[in-house]
Amino acid sequence: LSYYNEYKSYLSTMAKVVNVLRQSVIITTASCRRYPSITLRSHCQAARGRSTRQNHGKSSYTNYILLGSSGGILGYFSSDSQQIGRIKKEIGTATMHLHQSEPQLAAKNFNAALELVQNDLDNRGRTSQKEIIFLIDQLGNIALQLERYSEAIELYKVTIEGLVAQGMCRSDRVITELALKIAQIYAILGDITNAELGFMTCIAVTNNQFAKSEGDLSAKEMEIFELACEGLGKLYLSAGQPKEAIKWYNHAISCTEKYSEGPRLAVLYRETAAVYESMGQLDEALKMIKLSEEKAATHTPLYTQRFSVKRAHLYARLGKQDEALRLYEELVKLSKERFDEEVLNEIELHLNKLSP
């Protein structure tokens, strides 16, 4: 939504191609290594089989990333090319099917658009037209939503190369956003080495921009820094390095407190609480959960009870059974009023653990 004005003209044009088209919002990331565009066909064909085997069970994390992501990065550039018009039509139809929860139909249009782009790349080598750069970025977005992660990575890398070919500096914010997307995908795939490299690259570039601007960064640049720090926190926690995770979560929190008082802080506090809990530091975990509840109550009150369930769980682990049971009872009543089955199921799970 924050990018609505930026894409207004683009959406208006695409609406003529398909009846329903919305701009996809995605998070995914990129390392900045150079891959010749002409090799995209072989990379994607090989990746298609790998992604099918590797991505089972990862859709929930992908949805989380989609919710937390920035949107597409380029504006619309007009073209009279019939072939580009066909590509846009396939992309628009694929996007429509995704919004209608029809991934199989979306995949058909995605494949058709990918083939058209690949043919263009085969004929002309490295991407040089802005229209093609834009379309490749959009195909990367669709590949992410289809959970074809390896293909998304290659498409974002080609987008970077196209932007560089157009004269964009590799330290530009737009390219850093793509690098962040690729790093997040590597994290989904469990590729710790490339994910870590990608996140560190984003942090280094942002720090360099911070130094050049004498501490005056835009909110978007600060958000990139925060998301990269959070990415490292998640990565190190999953790798069994909670102390490193805490360090990077603290960086993310410090950054977010400076540029935003929105719901992101509630999420970061809750994630940090999970790290402290994994280390057995339950008092610190409880402190962070209470902070997350305060922020959620201010910015996303409907989700406050989800954070409160965690507080009740921590009370139980600390041996405060009475407090835990009282809080669970309050949450059960509230969840029934709101018909929140997800929270009720989570509470039931915790209560079963408390039962003798």
Side-chain angles (χ1 to χ4, degrees), residues 125-189:
R126 205 173 282 259
T127 299
S128 58
Q129 289 190 2
K130 291 181 179 179
E131 291 93 338
I132 297 297
I133 299 172
F134 166 74
L135 294 171
I136 290 173
D137 175 48
Q138 293 304 299
L139 283 171
N141 294 344
I142 294 172
L144 175 64
Q145 294 186 81
L146 291 172
E147 298 183 32
R148 291 163 68 162
Y149 299 124
S150 297
E151 287 171 286
I153 288 173
E154 295 305 327
L155 288 163
Y156 287 133
K157 286 179 179 178
V158 172
T159 302
I160 289 176
E161 293 307 315
L163 293 172
V164 172
Q166 290 287 325
M168 183 176 288
C169 177
R170 284 188 177 272
S171 62
D172 190 276
R173 177 184 62 81
V174 169
I175 290 182
T176 307
E177 282 188 83
L178 284 165
L180 179 64
K181 286 184 175 186
I182 294 173
Q184 290 169 326
I185 298 178
Y186 277 132
I188 292 174
L189 296 174

Side-chain angles (χ1 to χ4, degrees), residues 310-347:
K310 188 65 178 178
R311 177 158 60 94
H313 169 67
L314 288 170
Y315 280 148
R317 288 202 61 187
L318 286 164
K320 301 178 180 180
Q321 306 293 340
D322 291 341
E323 291 181 64
L325 287 172
R326 273 197 302 271
L327 184 53
Y328 278 134
E329 288 173 1
E330 293 174 9
L331 292 170
V332 166
K333 181 181 179 180
L334 186 59
S335 298
K336 286 181 178 179
E337 291 174 356
R338 294 178 176 176
F339 303 100
D340 195 330
E341 293 294 329
E342 185 177 346
V343 172
L344 285 171
N345 291 336
E346 186 176 356
I347 292 172

Side-chain angles (χ1 to χ4, degrees), residues 25-230:
V25 180
I26 331 146
I27 278 190
T28 322
T29 78
S31 72
C32 297
R33 292 179 297 174
R34 302 174 71 88
Y35 274 80
S37 303
I38 198 168
T39 64
L40 178 62
R41 179 193 300 274
S42 59
H43 280 301
C44 287
Q45 287 176 342
R48 194 170 297 156
R50 290 198 304 269
S51 63
T52 300
R53 294 190 299 270
Q54 293 172 337
N55 297 337
H56 178 69
K58 298 190 176 77
S59 60
S60 61
Y61 187 30
T62 305
N63 291 336
Y64 171 77
I65 288 185
L66 291 174
L67 289 172
S69 107
S70 52
I73 58 168
L74 300 176
Y76 171 78
F77 299 92
S78 62
S79 173
D80 295 329
S81 166
Q82 184 177 6
Q83 183 179 10
I84 288 181
R86 290 169 59 198
I87 297 169
K88 290 175 182 176
K89 181 177 180 179
E90 297 292 350
I91 290 176
T93 307
T95 305
M96 177 187 69
H97 286 309
L98 284 170
H99 282 288
Q100 294 177 348
S101 301
E102 299 170 337
Q104 292 182 338
L105 294 176
K108 293 181 180 179
N109 296 109
F110 169 78
N111 292 335
L114 183 61
E115 191 64 31
L116 289 168
V117 172
Q118 288 170 340
N119 289 336
D120 184 74
L121 293 173
D122 289 340
N123 292 333
R124 299 190 304 156
R126 205 173 282 259
T127 299
S128 58
Q129 289 190 2
K130 291 181 179 179
E131 291 93 338
I132 297 297
I133 299 172
F134 166 74
L135 294 171
I136 290 173
D137 175 48
Q138 293 304 299
L139 283 171
N141 294 344
I142 294 172
L144 175 64
Q145 294 186 81
L146 291 172
E147 298 183 32
R148 291 163 68 162
Y149 299 124
S150 297
E151 287 171 286
I153 288 173
E154 295 305 327
L155 288 163
Y156 287 133
K157 286 179 179 178
V158 172
T159 302
I160 289 176
E161 293 307 315
L163 293 172
V164 172
Q166 290 287 325
M168 183 176 288
C169 177
R170 284 188 177 272
S171 62
D172 190 276
R173 177 184 62 81
V174 169
I175 290 182
T176 307
E177 282 188 83
L178 284 165
L180 179 64
K181 286 184 175 186
I182 294 173
Q184 290 169 326
I185 298 178
Y186 277 132
I188 292 174
L189 296 174
D191 188 339
I192 294 177
T193 300
N194 279 314
E196 182 181 39
L197 176 62
F199 289 133
M200 287 294 191
T201 298
C202 293
I203 290 169
V205 170
T206 309
N207 277 334
N208 189 46
Q209 294 296 327
F210 184 82
K212 288 182 178 180
S213 63
E214 298 182 352
D216 185 21
L217 289 180
S218 68
K220 188 60 196 175
E221 289 169 321
M222 295 293 283
E223 182 184 11
I224 291 173
F225 180 84
E226 178 258 308
L227 288 170
C229 290
E230 180 194 22

Side-chain angles (χ1 to χ4, degrees), residues 211-354:
K212 288 182 178 180
S213 63
E214 298 182 352
D216 185 21
L217 289 180
S218 68
K220 188 60 196 175
E221 289 169 321
M222 295 293 283
E223 182 184 11
I224 291 173
F225 180 84
E226 178 258 308
L227 288 170
C229 290
E230 180 194 22
L232 284 173
K234 288 184 177 181
L235 197 67
Y236 288 131
L237 178 60
S238 66
Q241 301 178 50
K243 291 184 179 179
E244 281 295 306
I246 286 292
K247 180 178 78 174
W248 288 104
Y249 270 121
N250 285 337
H251 284 313
I253 290 171
S254 177
C255 175
T256 307
E257 286 175 340
K258 291 178 181 178
Y259 84 86
S260 172
E261 279 294 317
R264 283 290 303 153
L265 270 176
V267 174
L268 291 172
Y269 286 140
R270 182 180 184 182
E271 291 176 356
T272 306
V275 182
Y276 278 122
E277 184 180 7
S278 73
M279 299 169 66
Q281 298 182 26
L282 302 183
D283 289 326
E284 287 296 321
L286 184 60
K287 175 183 175 182
M288 300 306 294
I289 280 294
K290 289 180 177 179
L291 287 173
S292 72
E293 286 182 280
E294 291 174 9
K295 293 299 180 183
T298 303
H299 300 284
T300 53
L302 290 178
Y303 293 95
T304 305
Q305 63 197 75
R306 298 173 184 267
F307 297 96
S308 299
V309 170
K310 188 65 178 178
R311 177 158 60 94
H313 169 67
L314 288 170
Y315 280 148
R317 288 202 61 187
L318 286 164
K320 301 178 180 180
Q321 306 293 340
D322 291 341
E323 291 181 64
L325 287 172
R326 273 197 302 271
L327 184 53
Y328 278 134
E329 288 173 1
E330 293 174 9
L331 292 170
V332 166
K333 181 181 179 180
L334 186 59
S335 298
K336 286 181 178 179
E337 291 174 356
R338 294 178 176 176
F339 303 100
D340 195 330
E341 293 294 329
E342 185 177 346
V343 172
L344 285 171
N345 291 336
E346 186 176 356
I347 292 172
E348 183 180 359
L349 181 64
H350 288 309
L351 286 174
N352 288 338
K353 293 179 180 179
L354 286 177

